Amino acid sequence: MVAYMCWNNKVLHWDILFTRKMSHGKERGAQPSILQRRMNHDLPEEIVLEILAKQPVKSLLRFRCVCKRWYSSIATPSFISTHLSNNYHNRGLVIHLAKNIRIPSSGRLDSQVCTLARDRTFETISKCKIPFTFDSWFLVLAGSCNGILCFNDYMTPRCNDVYLWNPSIRMFKRLPDTCMTQLRKVALGFGYNSQTNDYKVVKFSSTIAIPMPPPEVEVYSLSSDSWKRIELGISWRPNVVSRNFNFTLTFPVVSGHLHWMIEMIEEGGGQEGRSTAMILSFDLNSEKFKELPLPDEEGSCIKKGLTSFKEKLALIKFGSGSGVQPHSMLLCSIWVMREYGVFDSWNKLCVLLIQILTDFSGFTKYGALIRKKTWLVSTNGEFKSKDKCVLIDPETLHEKEIITQADSQLNVATYMENLTILDGANVVSYQEDMLCV
């Protein structure tokens, strides 16, 4: 323990020394030898790597310059995986950004900005510009896993653009073009397979045929840097004439599975179609689909969506109810699947009144609900509406105002530091000071 503490302090001392030397810009050629002399201790290399694997990413990026051995060790898949495991339970961060970019009257377009904040308070830590853009300037956060973010363009028809971004190491890549025959009503999911240490993107595309056949599906693997077609492999609803995926929420990853809420209209014998819904689950290891049970219906429901609550699958149901005042408000009931895949484990968490569907942004890691509210503010005797974001305790329904880009709908995701290198083609690295706000 004493040796561990001493080495941990020495690592910190090297970080400070390295930073000072680089900032002064003096004797850079002699830098490695200075630090290498401080490394001449008797601790086994596996202990040194164990200590390094507990350091922040920013420090490790500096330590790569200490010596060739450290540079190569820090970049190995085993070290990256160990570092990720060590930091998995230290995820006290969220990253949030506006869902839409509003084009100013001047016609000048600015890059989208991400805000890194503390999970419990949403206190801003830093801001940075997203280092890529889409033709439509309407990007959507398709998912976030272990600090790797996945974005796609949801406005441009037949758009192939999908990006992975690791802000920790200042690297992003554009994924290869799809192998699908057509792109229509595209839905994405992004997840991590811990068994193979691989990140995967799942893409759905619909056809224009009536009735609608099962969607086309393809899976991208970061390890192979390629897409492949797979079959849905489950029974499909007959006579489907319309199909939508999970409205505006990011598709959640729970228990090693990606999830989509699919709402459909089936053509029936009468003039009006019959509304149905299903939860589609995708095993990130076996790459097999299955359908999960929904809780029993109660009251009228106009929309459903999925998210995660404290690493459990959560269902959000929007509807109207008798006695709801004012009549323009919607009932938002939140259900949690306490035991994954078990129908009887669905439990109603809480019920809220909201104004519009997109007011709901999801949950923090600690279980606080994030939503946008509209307030009436008096200015010079005139009342004007103003949007604010609040955190809500689902048990007490206590609200706490937070500072965000509240005039827009929010993409919110948990965040953690990650050393994962985005290999393959179309990879871009950039300098930190290029994108700081």
Side-chain angles (χ1 to χ4, degrees):
M1 177 61 71
V2 174
Y4 178 90
M5 292 175 65
C6 290
W7 259 82
N8 216 19
N9 289 333
K10 284 183 172 61
V11 168
L12 177 60
H13 179 73
W14 290 341
D15 193 15
I16 296 171
L17 176 63
F18 189 79
T19 303
R20 287 175 179 172
K21 286 288 184 179
M22 293 301 290
S23 63
H24 291 309
K26 297 179 180 180
E27 301 178 359
R28 296 190 180 185
Q31 183 70 27
S33 61
I34 292 173
L35 294 179
Q36 284 172 354
R37 286 201 297 271
R38 293 181 176 271
M39 291 165 45
N40 193 19
H41 296 272
D42 295 329
L43 280 179
E45 185 172 352
E46 58 268 21
I47 300 298
V48 176
L49 292 178
E50 181 181 347
I51 295 171
L52 288 176
K54 300 180 186 297
Q55 306 308 310
V57 167
K58 191 172 184 178
S59 296
L60 291 172
L61 294 179
R62 293 192 180 106
F63 294 161
R64 292 183 305 179
C65 301
V66 170
C67 62
K68 291 181 179 179
R69 187 172 73 254
W70 281 22
Y71 184 91
S72 59
S73 296
I74 291 172
T76 61
S78 60
F79 182 90
I80 293 172
S81 180
T82 301
H83 183 268
L84 186 65
S85 299
N86 290 340
N87 286 277
Y88 184 78
H89 295 292
N90 297 324
R91 300 172 299 162
L93 305 175
V94 294
I95 197 163
H96 62 83
L97 64 151
K99 288 186 177 179
N100 301 332
I101 290 184
R102 296 183 179 180
I103 301 176
S105 57
S106 63
R108 180 178 176 271
L109 294 172
D110 296 321
S111 297
Q112 178 68 291
V113 173
C114 274
T115 300
L116 182 65
R118 304 192 188 282
D119 185 279
R120 290 186 183 274
T121 63
F122 267 63
E123 174 189 354
T124 296
I125 298 173
S126 62
K127 294 184 179 182
C128 63
K129 296 177 182 177
I130 297 177
F132 46 84
T133 59
F134 295 98
D135 291 339
S136 70
W137 287 80
F138 281 84
L139 57 81
V140 62
L141 179 62
S144 169
C145 287
N146 304 332
I148 308 295
L149 309 178
C150 177
F151 291 91
N152 74 300
D153 182 341
Y154 70 98
M155 288 294 290
T156 305
R158 297 177 296 280
C159 180
N160 266 317
D161 292 347
V162 179
Y163 284 87
L164 296 182
W165 179 30
N166 186 345
S168 297
I169 60 173
R170 303 184 289 278
M171 181 181 291
F172 69 91
K173 70 169 290 165
R174 180 185 179 276
L175 302 194
D177 287 347
T178 179
C179 59
M180 288 181 170
T181 57
Q182 59 181 329
L183 292 172
R184 182 177 181 271
K185 288 189 174 182
V186 171
L188 288 185
F190 177 56
Y192 172 68
N193 180 13
S194 59
Q195 297 185 43
T196 60
N197 192 28
D198 194 12
Y199 293 85
K200 297 182 179 182
V201 179
V202 183
K203 180 186 288 185
F204 293 89
S205 180
S206 304
T207 65
I208 58 176
I210 299 295
M212 299 178 73
E216 293 185 75
V217 190
E218 64 178 355
V219 178
Y220 168 84
S221 164
L222 180 60
S223 62
S224 66
D225 193 28
S226 63
W227 295 93
K228 67 177 180 180
R229 294 283 298 273
I230 63 172
E231 297 296 326
L232 198 60
I234 63 172
S235 59
W236 192 246
R237 305 286 197 276
N239 304 319
V240 174
V241 296
S242 177
R243 177 172 62 235
N244 290 294
F245 285 81
N246 208 35
F247 69 104
T248 62
L249 294 176
T250 301
F251 307 119
V253 179
V254 176
S255 297
H257 293 72
L258 260 168
H259 302 86
W260 297 264
M261 172 60 68
I262 306 179
E263 296 185 287
M264 296 164 283
I265 297 178
E266 295 182 43
E267 193 174 40
Q271 293 184 352
E272 293 187 4
R274 183 172 68 94
S275 297
T276 62
M278 68 182 296
I279 297 176
L280 189 62
S281 169
F282 177 77
D283 189 320
L284 287 159
N285 182 44
S286 67
E287 298 187 346
K288 302 294 184 182
F289 288 97
K290 66 179 178 181
E291 184 176 355
L292 294 184
L294 281 159
D296 292 332
E297 292 287 350
E298 55 176 27
S300 63
C301 180
I302 62 174
K303 205 71 176 174
K304 298 183 182 76
L306 294 175
T307 186
S308 61
F309 172 77
K310 294 183 177 180
E311 300 186 346
K312 305 288 186 181
L313 188 64
L315 168 69
I316 297 88
K317 299 171 69 175
F318 300 94
S320 57
S322 58
V324 175
Q325 297 291 336
H327 296 296
S328 59
M329 301 293 282
L330 293 172
L331 279 177
C332 173
S333 58
I334 301 171
W335 295 71
V336 176
M337 182 178 270
R338 299 295 182 181
E339 184 177 350
Y340 185 75
V342 178
F343 169 76
D344 291 335
S345 70
W346 280 114
N347 179 59
K348 185 184 288 188
L349 180 67
C350 64
V351 178
L352 302 168
L353 283 176
I354 65 170
Q355 292 170 303
I356 56 176
L357 299 178
T358 52
D359 283 353
F360 184 91
S361 297
F363 288 96
T364 68
K365 172 191 172 184
Y366 301 101
L369 186 150
I370 310 162
R371 64 161 292 191
K372 187 176 73 172
K373 294 187 72 173
T374 300
W375 307 69
L376 286 177
V377 179
S378 177
T379 305
N380 298 325
E382 295 184 3
F383 285 96
K384 295 183 179 179
S385 62
K386 183 177 181 180
D387 291 334
K388 297 182 181 180
C389 277
V390 295
L391 293 179
I392 301 176
D393 185 323
E395 295 182 358
T396 65
L397 299 185
H398 176 266
E399 297 182 0
K400 177 183 178 181
E401 183 180 343
I402 55 176
I403 306 300
T404 65
Q405 304 170 56
D407 59 340
S408 301
Q409 301 168 26
L410 285 181
N411 280 307
V412 182
T414 57
Y415 183 76
M416 63 182 293
E417 291 188 330
N418 191 336
L419 284 166
T420 297
I421 298 171
L422 304 177
D423 290 324
N426 303 317
V427 176
V428 177
S429 297
Y430 58 90
Q431 297 300 314
E432 183 176 23
D433 56 359
M434 290 174 57
L435 297 172
C436 292
V437 178

